[in-house]
């Protein structure tokens, strides 16, 4: 088995998209044009008619799922900004890419929220970070930064306080090695930069007021409940950002009528670590460890999406070699193990959210440690694996798994890798999944708390661009591994798990289903591992992990445990100069899956909010990036 | 650890008969205070980022934090002794963190877990990241790593226990809560156009005036001598890494003086009270 069997990314069904594009161009000859820039695909749409064209795409051509919407600033290349949209059909197939351009000054683009409500948060993010106004967006507030922040940081002419240069490695570090700590050059000794016209007399924190405005809190409750027997109070409850449900620093502002939720507004950005901006300063290769820290429970999956995206770009050049078969096998092995880790975690902590404090999660994450031991032995770290490389993986599986550093204490940990994996996959994992199933699925309390709660109908799930278990538990059998296959998934035998009730209980069940499917995949991976033993795990030249990236754009996506994880990368600028991504955007499932949270919670009791949140399964590293 | 035997607790020169040594100890107040405190550290249950996952793993069955008396994670700052800052501190999040810190009753400790909480970590240069929580609240123990392994976190916690063992009632300057009165709360940062630390108001004013005059502001020039020295050494070392000696960090001298002044006043008051009590008796 060699390279021939590995499948080039996104070649399936491409003809179909061409037909759709041709038809669109015929229908709107003045508004829709081909994107003819080198290495780009899709169409450019006149921004004044964007909504109309988008509606046609959705209704006539069946692109009912807006996967990603993001902005790019082409300062210095074209002096314009543009919004890039990737729309898919839920029946499967590749993306229809379309873009709308706007001048940088007074940037404005019509909002697509009426066509695809899933654009809501993504447009707010583009407004926050790029300063693009979306005409028609009902709630255009900052989403990651606080209201009142000075400037729009992802614009190419905005400089962060610790700014050194556009490209890494910085001159101060390499090759001269003149290292300085950034704080020392800042007058405040901190990561801050005040605008020149800072008005000291008017310094007050308005970020909270701005948050609460527009929530309709001024309603006269007396009147509202005048004809009801049971008088209730309207109450605004703030949950988070520090709170005991284990989902990180997420905040919700809930308006209650009695105990019933009237509206819920998610507030995020408490872990906004500027992933994308740092990513645009980093070299292509140096972004891989950063992707680990997106969804920090499933770092392997994050690596996978990123390398797929960049490999698409590399494939446009001529020095590219597709990853070897062994590399693909190892990648799938890692990713599926990671899916198990994630779902163990999700189920354990969903139970936490339901009030079964810590006991179920202790059981759930016990087996996780076994998988992490394997990751540690292979990649060197338990959580932040930094394992995949363009055109392959970083290392082959080791012969034995053992604690090298502390052998005296760790005599129990010394296994043959294949034996360890075989036992893990054939016995331990299925057993522990069955155990969870046995203890939890029929529990009366769980059923009472979860069945029918947090209902998300399928049409809404699609419209809101939900992905992953959240989408599939609502009865939409959409799984990127099947809908738009990558790696060696086409030759593997597994089913797309789907459940139909769209409530918390089904979201719990579907995770169990998916774990079983993952084990099924892993069982097919084991013989492939044996067979390819000793083959090459890296296709390129090992002395340079990083070949030059040709100009162009690419969107690589994988089915991560939390949903569809996509990376939109653009290579631009000087083709001979330092190589950095011009744009590096992460389509984070945790972020977009939160869009319907308000809708799902409306009318529910306040005690269920945390459980509904838990059933979506978010990770803040990815939500806020 | 809770299995401290009576013999270890014995901290005075009074002899105790051998047969009673398992049951009786005569000890100092400091020792018993420290012993009970370090054996029942209650961390605050809150996680910030990736490091929090390893913190949970540390508390879970394999590593089992309960062995150190630290498994009782409290969701409320009012009930916790230890704040484990487990992850990246962002500008938006530092406001609640400082607020939580102020709400913790004394004695309180802070452990910075991971590279991010200690100094910004991999995300340090980001515009929304605070370069280490110690810029806002005092930190007792730093645990390096990204993320620190559970073993490393436990080592950090054990180090904290050692630190507590060394604190003394007799030395008031040692820790604020053995001194007089509660210590001052940390001023809450303001989210203006950029995060504003109220302790730096004076500095900000000076820089804003410079900006108004059209001068360069917000940057600190390294002294010319240092720069020259660096370039000389860089050339000499031909590419070897040279670190510039840290310029002294400017603090707000006025506020500092005022704080110390208040401290001294309180100390005076206490001395006077003690003296009066002695006279009375
Ligand atoms: S130190 Fe590393 S693991 Fe910890 S929060 Fe920062 S990035 Fe995440």
């Amino acid at each position: 088995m060699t390279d021939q069997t590995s499948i080039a990314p996104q070649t399936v069904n491409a003809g179909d998209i061409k037909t759709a594009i041709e038809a669109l161009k015929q229908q709107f000859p003045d508004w829709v044009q081909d994107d003819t820039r080198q290495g780009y695909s899709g169409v450019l749409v006149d921004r004044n008619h964007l909504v109309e064209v988008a509606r046609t795409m959705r209704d006539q051509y069946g692109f009912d799922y807006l996967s990603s919407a993001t902005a790019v600033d082409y300062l210095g290349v074209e002096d314009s900004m543009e919004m890039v949209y990737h729309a898919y059909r839920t029946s499967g197939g590749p993306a229809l890419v379309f873009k709308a351009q706007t001048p940088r000054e007074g940037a404005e683009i019509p909002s697509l929220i009426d066509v695809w409500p899933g654009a809501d948060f993504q447009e707010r993010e583009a407004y926050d970070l790029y300063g693009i106004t979306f005409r028609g967006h009902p709630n255009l507030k900052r989403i990651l930064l606080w209201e009142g922040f000075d400037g729009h940081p992802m614009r190419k002419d905005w400089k962060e306080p610790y700014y050194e240069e556009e490209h890494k490695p910085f001159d101060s570090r390499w090759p001269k090695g003149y290292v300085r700590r950034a704080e020392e050059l800042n007058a405040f000794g901190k990561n801050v930069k005040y605008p020149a016209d800072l008005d000291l007399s008017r310094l007050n924190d308005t970020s909270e007021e701005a948050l609460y405005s527009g929530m309709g809190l001024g309603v006269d409750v007396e009147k509202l409940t005048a004809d009801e027997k049971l008088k209730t109070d309207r109450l605004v409850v703030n949950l988070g950002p520090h709170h005991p449900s284990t989902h990180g620093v997420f905040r919700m502002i809930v308006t209650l009528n009695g105990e019933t939720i009237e509206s819920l507004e998610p507030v995020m950005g408490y872990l906004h670590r500027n992933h994308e901006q740092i990513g645009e300063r980093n070299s292509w290769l140096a972004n891989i460890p950063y992707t680990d820290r997106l969804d920090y429970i499933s770092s392997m999956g994050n690596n996978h999406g990123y390398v797929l995206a960049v490999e698409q770009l590399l494939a446009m050049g001529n020095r590219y070699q597709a990853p070897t078969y062994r590399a693909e096998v190892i990648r799938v092995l890692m990713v599926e193990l990671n899916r198990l880790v994630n779902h163990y975690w999700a189920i354990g902590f969903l139970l936490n959210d339901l009030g079964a404090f810590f006991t179920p999660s202790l059981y759930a994450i016990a087996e996780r440690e076994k998988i992490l031991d394997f990751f540690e032995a292979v990649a060197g770290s338990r959580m932040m694996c930094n394992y995949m490389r363009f055109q392959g993986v970083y290392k082959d599986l080791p012969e034995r798994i053992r604690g090298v550093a502390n052998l005296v204490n760790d005599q129990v940990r010394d296994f043959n890798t294949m034996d360890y994996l075989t036992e893990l996959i054939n016995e331990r994992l299925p057993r522990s999944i069955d155990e969870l199933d046995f203890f939890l699925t029929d529990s009366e309390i769980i059923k009472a708390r979860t069945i029918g709660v947090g209902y998300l109908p399928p049409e809404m799930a699609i419209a809101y661009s939900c992905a992953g278990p959240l989408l599939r538990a609502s009865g939409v059998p959409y799984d990127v591994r099947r809908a738009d296959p990558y790696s060696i998934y086409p030759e593997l035998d597994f089913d797309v798990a789907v459940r139909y009730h769209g409530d918390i209980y089904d979201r719990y069940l579907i995770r169990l289903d998916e774990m079983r499917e993952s084990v099924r995949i892993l069982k097919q991976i084991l013989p492939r591992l044996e067979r390819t033993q000793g083959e090459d795990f890296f296709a390129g030249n090992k002395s340079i992990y990083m070949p030059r990236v040709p100009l162009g754009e690419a969107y690589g996506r994988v089915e991560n445990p939390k949903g569809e994880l996509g990376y939109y990368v653009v290579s631009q600028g000087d083709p001979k100069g330092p190589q950095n991504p011009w744009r590096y955007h992460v389509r984070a499932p945790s972020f977009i899956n939160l869009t319907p949270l308000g809708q799902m919670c409306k009318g529910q009791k306040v005690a269920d909010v945390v459980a509904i949140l838990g059933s979506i399964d978010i990770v803040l590293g990815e939500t806020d990036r | 650890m809770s299995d401290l035997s009576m013999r270890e607790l014995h901290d005075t020169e009074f002899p105790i008969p051998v047969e009673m040594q398992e049951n009786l100890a005569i000890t100092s107040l400091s020792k018993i205070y420290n012993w009970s405190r370090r054996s029942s550290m209650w961390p605050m249950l809150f996680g910030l980022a990736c490091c929090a996952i390893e913190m949970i793993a540390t508390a879970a069955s394999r590593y089992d934090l309960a062995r150190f008396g630290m498994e009782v994670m409290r969701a409320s700052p009012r009930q916790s002794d230890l704040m484990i800052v487990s992850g990246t501190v962002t500008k938006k999040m530092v406001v609640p963190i400082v607020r939580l810190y102020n709400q913790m009753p004394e004695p309180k400790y802070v452990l910075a877990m991971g590279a991010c909480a200690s100094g910004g970590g991999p995300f340090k240069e980001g515009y929304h990241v605070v370069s280490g929580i110690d810029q806002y609240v005092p930190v007792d123990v730093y645990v390096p790593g990204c993320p620190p392994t559970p073993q490393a976190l436990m080592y950090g916690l054990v180090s904290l226990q050692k630190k507590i063992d060394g604190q003394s009632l007799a030395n008031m300057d040692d820790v604020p809560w053995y001194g007089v009165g509660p210590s001052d709360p940390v001023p809450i940062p303001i989210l203006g156009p950029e995060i504003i630390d109220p302790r730096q108001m004076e500095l900000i004013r000076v820089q804003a005036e410079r900006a108004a005059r059209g001068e360069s502001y917000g940057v600190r020039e390294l002294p010319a001598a240092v720069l020259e020295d660096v370039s000389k050494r860089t050339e000499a070392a031909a590419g070897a890494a040279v670190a510039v000696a840290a310029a002294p960090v400017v603090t707000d001298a006025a506020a500092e003086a005022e704080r110390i002044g208040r401290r001294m006043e309180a100390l005076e008051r206490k001395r006077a009270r003690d003296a009066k009590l002695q006279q009375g008796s």
Side-chain angles (χ1 to χ4, degrees):
Chain A
M1 289 261 188
T2 45
D3 320 4
Q4 292 106 30
T5 37
S6 64
I7 290 185
Q10 299 206 357
T11 47
V12 213
N13 240 346
D16 188 30
I17 293 289
K18 282 213 187 74
T19 332
I21 287 182
E22 284 312 316
L24 261 177
K25 280 197 301 191
Q26 267 181 11
Q27 200 169 349
F28 307 105
D30 298 337
W31 305 342
V32 181
Q33 290 159 9
D34 274 326
D35 191 349
T36 52
R37 290 170 289 184
Q38 186 195 340
Y40 282 58
S41 60
V43 288
L44 293 174
V45 179
D46 185 343
R47 65 171 164 145
N48 295 320
H49 305 280
L50 181 65
V51 180
E52 221 172 315
V53 176
R55 189 162 281 133
T56 317
M57 283 175 190
R58 185 192 68 183
D59 296 343
Q60 287 185 15
Y61 298 95
F63 290 94
D64 49 355
Y65 185 79
L66 181 74
S67 162
S68 147
T70 187
V72 191
D73 182 2
Y74 281 107
L75 174 71
V77 180
E78 292 168 0
D79 286 328
S80 63
M81 289 209 272
E82 67 185 34
M83 278 298 284
V84 185
Y85 303 90
H86 287 79
Y88 290 87
R89 295 187 173 114
T90 37
S91 51
L96 174 64
V97 189
F98 60 102
K99 293 153 196 158
Q101 292 183 320
T102 164
R104 295 184 81 248
E105 290 307 314
E108 192 186 273
I109 282 177
S111 168
L112 288 188
I113 196 167
D114 290 338
V115 187
W116 291 290
D120 183 352
F121 282 6
Q122 310 190 55
E123 286 181 346
R124 275 177 69 187
E125 184 191 325
Y127 164 71
D128 188 357
L129 303 182
Y130 282 90
I132 300 177
T133 313
F134 289 90
R135 210 182 321 125
H137 193 294
N139 188 20
L140 200 60
K141 287 197 277 195
R142 286 198 184 254
I143 187 164
L144 294 178
L145 295 164
W146 64 89
E147 206 64 47
F149 185 84
D150 178 48
H152 301 284
M154 285 295 286
R155 286 185 167 225
K156 288 279 174 191
D157 49 2
W158 196 94
K159 302 276 187 279
E160 66 269 24
Y162 283 173
Y163 175 79
E164 281 190 49
E165 270 170 70
E166 285 296 321
H167 305 286
K168 272 189 194 164
F170 297 144
D171 260 356
S172 65
R173 323 269 160 99
W174 189 86
K176 277 215 297 242
Y178 170 33
V179 184
R180 268 180 292 190
R181 286 175 38 203
E183 302 89 309
E184 285 156 19
L185 299 177
N186 188 301
F188 307 101
K190 284 197 164 82
N191 188 1
V192 291
K193 183 185 87 173
Y194 299 103
D197 52 355
L198 180 67
D199 186 355
L200 283 167
S201 59
R202 297 167 73 231
L203 278 185
N204 41 6
D205 204 328
T206 53
S207 52
E208 288 294 301
E209 285 160 38
L211 208 64
Y212 288 110
S213 75
M215 288 190 61
L217 301 183
V219 186
D220 185 0
V221 187
E222 296 278 301
K223 214 149 119 212
L224 210 70
T225 52
D227 44 334
E228 283 172 28
K229 285 211 190 72
L230 189 64
K231 295 271 184 259
T232 50
D233 261 348
R234 178 180 294 225
L235 195 66
V236 178
V237 178
N238 181 61
L239 301 170
H242 137 264
H243 64 119
S245 97
T246 353
H247 299 281
V249 282
F250 182 64
R251 178 173 171 192
M252 293 172 279
I253 297 176
V254 188
T255 323
L256 296 177
N257 186 351
E259 281 221 26
T260 312
I261 294 167
E262 272 189 0
S263 78
L264 178 144
E265 176 148 333
V267 182
M268 45 195 118
Y270 291 93
L271 193 56
H272 178 47
R273 319 192 258 196
N274 330 124
H275 191 94
E276 293 181 2
Q277 198 197 38
I278 294 176
E280 287 169 20
R281 303 250 191 270
N282 276 342
S283 65
W284 291 93
L285 186 64
N287 267 341
I288 297 178
Y290 279 86
T291 60
D292 287 339
R293 287 154 180 84
L294 278 170
D295 171 358
Y296 32 76
I297 296 173
S298 24
S299 60
M300 289 287 186
N302 304 345
N303 282 184
H304 199 193
Y306 180 62
V307 296
L308 283 184
V310 180
E311 275 167 6
Q312 278 182 38
L313 271 181
L314 289 172
M316 294 179 203
N318 40 23
R319 305 260 301 278
Y320 170 71
Q321 285 166 309
T324 59
Y325 187 70
R326 176 151 181 96
E328 296 282 19
V329 172
I330 296 180
R331 281 182 183 182
V332 173
L333 167 76
M334 293 303 185
V335 168
E336 293 305 325
L337 282 176
N338 221 159
R339 193 180 312 278
L340 285 161
V341 168
N342 182 78
H343 286 354
Y344 276 127
W345 195 271
I347 290 178
F349 286 86
L350 171 66
L351 267 290
N352 238 16
D353 293 341
L354 287 171
F357 214 56
F358 268 108
T359 310
S361 42
L362 287 184
Y363 276 92
I365 65 179
E367 223 53 40
R368 168 180 182 263
E369 291 287 339
K370 282 274 163 199
I371 301 178
L372 293 197
D373 274 354
F374 173 64
F375 284 172
E376 192 176 10
V378 180
S381 172
R382 282 159 52 87
M383 275 171 67
M384 306 301 173
C385 300
N386 184 14
Y387 182 61
M388 297 190 193
R389 294 290 180 273
F390 313 129
Q391 313 177 355
V393 294
Y394 153 61
K395 239 180 168 181
D396 208 341
L397 306 186
E399 195 113 311
R400 299 191 76 77
I401 293 179
R402 57 179 162 199
V404 181
N406 200 358
L407 214 50
V408 191
N409 281 342
D410 210 356
Q411 277 163 344
V412 277
R413 196 151 48 124
D414 188 1
F415 310 98
N416 177 300
T417 308
M418 285 313 289
D419 294 348
Y420 184 85
L421 275 181
T422 313
E423 194 205 335
L424 191 67
I425 291 168
N426 286 333
E427 288 167 34
R428 297 197 69 113
L429 294 175
R431 195 166 57 216
S432 76
I433 297 170
D434 288 345
E435 190 186 63
L436 283 183
D437 194 2
F438 177 76
F439 283 120
L440 302 179
T441 306
D442 288 327
S443 155
E444 240 165 75
I445 302 176
I446 292 178
K447 281 187 165 167
R449 284 292 310 273
T450 59
I451 291 182
V453 177
Y455 175 58
L456 181 71
E459 316 79 50
M460 203 155 109
I462 295 173
Y464 277 100
S465 306
C466 298
L470 182 61
L471 179 67
R472 289 191 289 273
S474 290
V476 185
Y478 188 78
D479 184 324
V480 183
R481 291 175 295 177
R482 281 285 186 244
D484 191 3
Y486 54 94
S487 198
I488 56 166
Y489 282 110
E491 63 171 75
L492 296 172
D493 179 27
F494 68 100
D495 293 324
V496 175
V498 58
R499 296 267 170 174
Y500 296 93
H501 297 112
D503 53 8
I504 302 182
Y505 191 61
D506 269 19
R507 276 172 228 138
Y508 153 73
L509 286 177
I510 201 161
R511 293 207 166 89
L512 279 184
D513 296 346
E514 283 188 13
M515 287 163 88
R516 294 208 164 100
E517 291 302 326
S518 284
V519 171
R520 194 166 147 201
I521 294 176
L522 287 170
K523 283 187 179 155
Q524 300 166 48
I525 289 291
L526 278 178
R528 286 177 168 78
L529 270 182
E530 299 270 14
R531 212 161 55 219
T532 57
Q533 199 106 49
E535 283 178 23
D536 225 349
F537 55 91
F538 186 76
N541 175 357
K542 267 186 216 115
S543 60
I544 42 159
Y545 270 119
M546 186 68 250
R548 286 199 82 78
V549 181
L551 300 191
E553 61 164 10
Y555 182 69
R557 56 180 194 147
V558 289
E559 185 65 37
N560 227 30
K562 305 232 163 28
E564 175 189 336
L565 174 72
Y567 290 86
Y568 177 70
V569 287
V570 176
S571 166
Q572 265 301 337
D574 180 4
K576 296 243 154 38
Q579 286 249 299
N580 294 48
W582 180 269
R583 178 78 177 107
Y584 163 70
H585 171 71
V586 185
R587 185 252 186 238
S590 303
F591 177 61
I592 296 167
N593 282 354
L594 283 174
T595 324
L597 179 66
Q599 295 289 333
M600 278 155 73
C601 290
K602 199 172 275 180
Q604 307 283 347
K605 298 287 180 232
V606 65
D608 293 328
V609 173
V610 175
I612 294 173
L613 181 69
S615 75
I616 300 180
D617 184 19
I618 58 164
V619 144
L620 264 288
E622 192 178 64
T623 307
D624 295 342
R625 279 155 290 146
Chain B
M1 267 168 277
S2 46
D3 55 350
L4 188 96
S5 78
M6 279 294 156
R7 279 201 189 101
E8 272 175 65
L9 205 53
H10 186 75
D11 195 31
T12 46
E13 278 154 19
F14 297 106
I16 293 183
V18 179
E19 62 273 23
M20 293 181 73
Q21 277 182 2
E22 288 297 328
N23 306 321
L24 187 67
I26 302 178
T27 186
S28 62
L29 203 49
S30 285
K31 179 118 185 177
I32 198 95
Y33 261 27
N34 290 338
W35 170 73
S36 37
R37 177 152 351 105
R38 51 103 85 177
S39 311
S40 63
M41 268 284 159
W42 289 5
M44 180 145 64
L45 174 63
F46 94 120
L48 291 182
C50 351
C51 281
I53 305 293
E54 282 300 63
M55 183 176 75
I56 296 170
T58 315
S61 41
R62 187 179 188 183
Y63 296 99
D64 196 8
L65 213 47
R67 293 177 292 156
F68 303 94
M70 294 185 177
E71 82 283 15
V72 195
M73 300 237 181
R74 304 318 289 173
S76 159
R78 310 263 184 215
Q79 301 171 344
S80 38
D81 313 298
L82 167 67
M83 180 159 158
I84 301 181
V85 184
S86 54
T88 319
V89 184
T90 61
K91 290 180 183 170
K92 216 166 158 177
M93 193 59 203
V94 78
V95 182
I97 291 180
V98 170
R99 215 171 265 146
L100 288 172
Y101 177 78
N102 287 343
Q103 288 177 6
M104 281 166 66
E106 290 186 318
K108 54 186 167 187
Y109 301 93
V110 178
L111 183 141
M113 179 184 182
C116 285
S118 305
F123 297 96
K124 178 176 174 181
E125 70 240 48
Y127 51 85
H128 193 231
V129 175
V130 171
S131 326
I133 186 64
D134 55 0
Q135 298 205 331
Y136 290 90
V137 299
V139 173
D140 294 276
V141 179
Y142 298 86
V143 181
C146 181
T149 54
Q151 295 93 323
L153 178 60
M154 277 193 287
Y155 181 72
L157 291 168
V158 172
S159 308
L160 180 64
Q161 291 189 328
K162 288 208 185 110
K163 180 172 181 172
I164 295 172
D165 279 341
Q167 294 180 335
S168 159
L169 267 174
N171 186 358
M172 286 190 185
D173 298 334
D174 191 11
V175 279
W177 44 87
Y178 285 158
V180 275
S183 52
D184 307 315
V186 179
I188 311 243
I190 302 166
L191 291 178
E194 172 61 279
I195 192 158
I196 292 170
D197 187 344
R199 292 172 295 188
Q200 285 192 323
M201 261 331 204
E202 197 47 43
L203 201 60
I204 293 170
R205 190 162 297 130
V206 172
Q207 295 288 340
E209 277 161 17
R210 289 188 64 142
R213 287 198 301 271
E215 293 169 23
S216 85
Y217 67 100
V219 289
R220 183 189 297 161
E221 300 294 341
L222 290 180
V226 175
L227 279 176
E228 204 174 293
D229 181 45
V230 162
S231 61
K232 238 188 275 163
R233 275 199 287 165
T234 323
E235 276 157 30
V242 178
V244 183
V249 174
V250 181
T251 47
D252 193 337
E256 190 69 5
E258 191 192 333
R259 202 178 66 80
I260 292 172
R262 252 184 293 147
R263 258 266 112 79
M264 294 314 285
E265 267 172 39
L267 211 60
E268 283 304 320
R269 273 204 305 280
K270 183 169 186 249
R271 291 226 175 92
R273 203 168 55 230
D274 288 353
K276 219 195 256 165
L277 275 177
Q278 265 185 1
Q279 271 171 11
S281 69

